[in-house]
Amino acid sequence: MASIALRPFGMEDSKHLSQWYQDDRDGIEAFMGADIPTDVASTMAFNVLLEKQQQQTAIFRMVYRDDEAIGFVAVTDISISDRSGRPHWYVAKDKRKYSMSVARESEREAQRLGFRGFLASIPPDNKAALAVVKRLGYTKLERIVFVKEFDNGN
């Protein structure tokens, strides 16, 4: 039986990220939570994520099924005090049948690293992601989230 494994990002993985952006821009944008209009912008977004990992404010791992790269996962907004973070999962379009296995393996890895929980934020129109978090046992918070952006004269 094939197994799902999380591995540190290696330089050979760049080609997978680039190909997935070209094949599935919407999926990459959903993962990043932002519009990514070009290949260069995609590379920059991944570089920022990898820099956050160097600063220990994020964790980024490639997902392999045996020796085949099928996606990547991340934990962002890491809180050291309560050992929590925000999970993010991306599985290549043609490998989405492994989404639950990927999500479960990322949770096992988080537990091994000492995390006590995750706070997932899913756009309400992303039905597939909502189904995954429900199957994983996440509960919906009865809160409304507000945001305010400051204009700093820029």
Side-chain angles (χ1 to χ4, degrees):
M1 182 176 169
S3 64
I4 301 294
L6 306 183
R7 300 180 187 168
F9 179 78
M11 290 313 296
E12 67 280 359
D13 292 318
S14 295
K15 65 182 179 209
H16 301 300
L17 302 180
S18 179
Q19 188 63 52
W20 291 328
Y21 173 78
Q22 292 170 16
D23 295 344
D24 185 22
R25 177 178 161 186
D26 289 342
I28 300 298
E29 288 178 337
F31 177 91
M32 292 292 185
D35 290 335
I36 303 175
T38 65
D39 286 330
V40 171
S42 174
T43 299
M44 291 172 58
F46 281 109
N47 285 343
V48 167
L49 188 54
L50 292 167
E51 286 172 15
K52 288 182 179 191
Q53 180 172 257
Q54 291 294 322
Q55 299 164 354
Q56 299 181 348
T57 60
I59 297 170
F60 182 83
R61 298 285 187 270
M62 294 295 295
V63 178
Y64 278 79
R65 182 174 178 270
D66 292 333
D67 290 328
E68 178 185 17
I70 65 166
F72 49 88
V73 298
V75 179
T76 61
D77 301 322
I78 294 174
S79 170
I80 301 300
S81 61
D82 67 3
R83 293 179 290 186
S84 66
R86 286 186 51 219
H88 308 270
W89 306 287
Y90 175 83
V91 180
K93 264 185 166 181
D94 62 338
K95 303 297 180 186
R96 298 259 160 94
K97 64 184 174 184
Y98 302 111
S99 294
M100 285 300 298
S101 297
V102 168
R104 285 188 177 119
E105 182 57 30
S106 70
E107 286 185 343
R108 282 190 289 274
E109 178 71 6
Q111 288 175 338
R112 285 189 290 270
L113 292 172
F115 282 85
R116 294 191 335 203
F118 279 157
L119 174 66
S121 61
I122 311 289
D125 62 341
N126 190 336
K127 305 293 186 214
L130 290 170
V132 168
V133 295
K134 285 179 184 175
R135 283 186 62 198
L136 289 169
Y138 285 71
T139 56
K140 184 178 176 183
L141 295 177
E142 296 300 325
R143 300 250 183 231
I144 298 174
V145 177
F146 295 90
V147 65
K148 180 177 182 178
E149 294 184 26
F150 295 113
D151 179 11
N152 292 330
N154 297 328

